[in-house]
Amino acid sequence: MQVAVIGAGIVGVTTAYELALDGHEVTVFERHGSVAAETSFANAGIVAPGYVTPWAAPGMPGKVLRSLFERHAPVHLNARLGPGALRWMWRWWRACKLESYQAHRSSMQRLALYSRQRLNDLTQRLQLDYERAEGLLILLRRPQELAAAQPGLALLGELGIKHSVLEPRDCRAAEPGLNPDMPLHAGIYLPDDEVGNCRQFAHLLRSEAQALGVRFRFHTEVRSVVPGRRPQLLIQAASSDDSEPLSTLLDSSRTGFAPTVPTPIDPMAEETDAIVVCAANGSGALLAPHGLKLPLMPVYGYSVTAPMRQLEHDPDRGPRSAIMDERYKVAVSRLGSRVRVAGCAELGGSLAKHHSGAIATLYKVLHDWYPGVARLTHAQRWKGARPMLPDGPPVLGASGLPGVWLNLGHGSSGWALACGSARVVGDLLASRPPAVDTRGLGIERLRL
């Protein structure tokens, strides 16, 4: 079967690989010059099934409102929220009911456990060598945070996820680089969770997919899709060779020359047997003209990545693997010789404008737990648009439109859910029962 995959983020790349593994003839269409160029570029990198939960949770609306008055807040609301964002927030508020939250959390964690297994299987079988480390330590600054974590701990036990509650001294034994002067009440340690470089993994898996015959067409934007027995895509491609990324553009400020950009050619239609939409926030515009109006909204997240200082007298400085500051919902991770601090959720706004408060919170958490560990003069700041559905889980499988399939809406858990989601979509497209319970992951739940 000929299959077109729209989007080459971590979800699109894993989907292309799994479809090619099943013997399909796969072409990936990507508007940028490489894989993992947007939300997959510099995310936190944490793969933690026990920590994968819907943002729509009991008590969350109150937390969001209280954060408006905090200097360092995990959530930021832009003053110019449009009608679409307000409709999304209304659906999100309705999904915060306990019964809905429990069902959606179960769906996401089943998928996350399966996805971690699939990720590890691929890594070992294909011998993928990317930056990764095992273990996640959730830091609880105050007794109230440990009390609030009790229902989640009970669920971890039900799911069979290995975990332990640690005293402060045991937290510092697990992560010796933690600032000894920073007050700490307790920690939750998940030894089987991990942190990994999502972008590196995507590039490695892209090579494996190409070895299976997958074609990647970069600098090619899908303008529209036409459902049908033989669905079509209307594409706008560049005049460059689309089989590889373009070379780096010239820096006009240094050379005095205007940058070279790909020259667009006339739009063209392409026919295929099936289309899998993995276009994240761009998916809505492709599907809405056909009556499928998904409540997708970009919820922006931030990261700062910097090289670690080389301190021969203090080799334990910095994180061994990853920590999560529960108070601020910020992760600090080791990626090889670099440290990455990532988190915050911004509603409204745009990719072009960085929220100074969000960046300040990342620096605060990094300084609180690992002061002086990073060479911040060489830091890379990043902002990404997480494609989030109001109730939490992604949408996997048939769209209801002939020939069109969906793998989208993973929110902040795209890296943690990507490998499992791709295998599920591959099985569903082949009319095989997936190896994981997919209740709550279909399009039907959003039509209620």
Side-chain angles (χ1 to χ4, degrees), residues 99-385:
E99 184 178 357
S100 298
Y101 167 74
Q102 290 175 333
H104 295 145
R105 179 170 182 170
S106 294
S107 297
M108 293 180 73
Q109 290 187 329
R110 286 196 304 269
L111 180 61
L113 285 165
Y114 176 61
S115 189
R116 184 178 67 184
Q117 176 188 335
R118 186 63 181 163
L119 170 63
N120 290 335
D121 288 347
L122 290 174
T123 298
Q124 294 170 14
R125 179 168 57 82
L126 300 175
Q127 297 184 338
L128 303 180
D129 184 15
Y130 60 99
E131 296 168 336
R132 62 194 296 252
E134 295 182 346
L136 171 65
L137 178 62
I138 302 170
L139 300 178
L140 309 173
R141 294 175 180 246
R142 303 173 299 180
Q144 299 95 310
E145 293 167 14
L146 180 58
Q150 294 307 313
L153 291 171
L155 184 57
L156 292 179
E158 294 174 11
L159 293 170
I161 296 175
K162 190 184 299 184
H163 66 282
S164 55
V165 178
L166 304 182
E167 297 289 336
R169 64 177 181 275
D170 297 319
C171 292
R172 292 189 165 92
E175 284 286 350
L178 288 173
N179 182 1
D181 299 324
M182 192 65 199
L184 175 62
H185 177 70
I188 302 170
Y189 186 59
L190 299 108
D192 293 337
D193 290 344
E194 62 186 79
V195 60
N197 191 319
C198 175
R199 182 169 178 263
Q200 283 186 353
F201 179 89
H203 277 272
L204 292 170
L205 196 64
R206 167 202 167 181
S207 296
E208 297 293 337
Q210 287 177 312
L212 293 175
V214 175
R215 184 185 182 195
F216 285 82
R217 297 183 61 177
F218 294 110
H219 294 292
T220 303
E221 183 175 2
V222 177
R223 306 293 296 273
S224 64
V225 298
V226 181
R229 187 180 61 84
R230 288 273 295 169
Q232 293 183 340
L233 308 93
L234 182 67
I235 62 172
Q236 178 91 49
S239 59
S240 60
D241 177 6
D242 60 15
S243 64
E244 292 290 336
L246 295 179
S247 59
T248 304
L249 300 180
L250 293 175
D251 184 348
S252 59
S253 65
R254 289 191 297 109
T255 66
F257 294 97
T260 303
V261 295
T263 303
I265 61 177
D266 292 337
M268 63 182 73
E270 294 206 7
E271 195 174 72
T272 187
D273 293 314
I275 297 171
V276 184
V277 182
C278 307
N281 290 297
S283 304
L286 297 174
L287 299 169
H290 307 289
L292 186 54
K293 297 182 179 181
L294 295 176
L296 270 172
M297 187 173 79
V299 176
Y300 299 104
Y302 293 82
S303 74
V304 174
T305 307
M308 294 177 62
R309 297 183 186 278
Q310 299 299 318
L311 299 172
E312 295 181 3
H313 65 281
D314 192 4
D316 285 328
R317 201 170 187 186
R320 284 181 172 176
S321 179
I323 63 107
M324 173 67 71
D325 187 312
E326 184 66 12
R327 169 67 181 83
Y328 298 104
K329 302 294 185 182
V330 169
V332 184
S333 310
R334 177 188 285 269
L335 295 174
S337 61
R338 297 171 299 154
V339 63
R340 175 169 293 167
V341 52
C344 296
E346 179 188 350
L347 284 78
S350 68
L351 274 176
K353 186 175 181 180
H354 286 208
H355 193 293
S356 59
I359 296 293
T361 299
L362 299 186
Y363 281 124
K364 170 184 168 51
V365 172
L366 179 61
H367 179 75
D368 282 353
W369 297 114
Y370 300 104
V373 73
R375 298 170 59 195
L376 295 178
T377 55
H378 296 73
Q380 176 193 57
R381 294 183 180 184
W382 170 85
K383 182 179 183 180

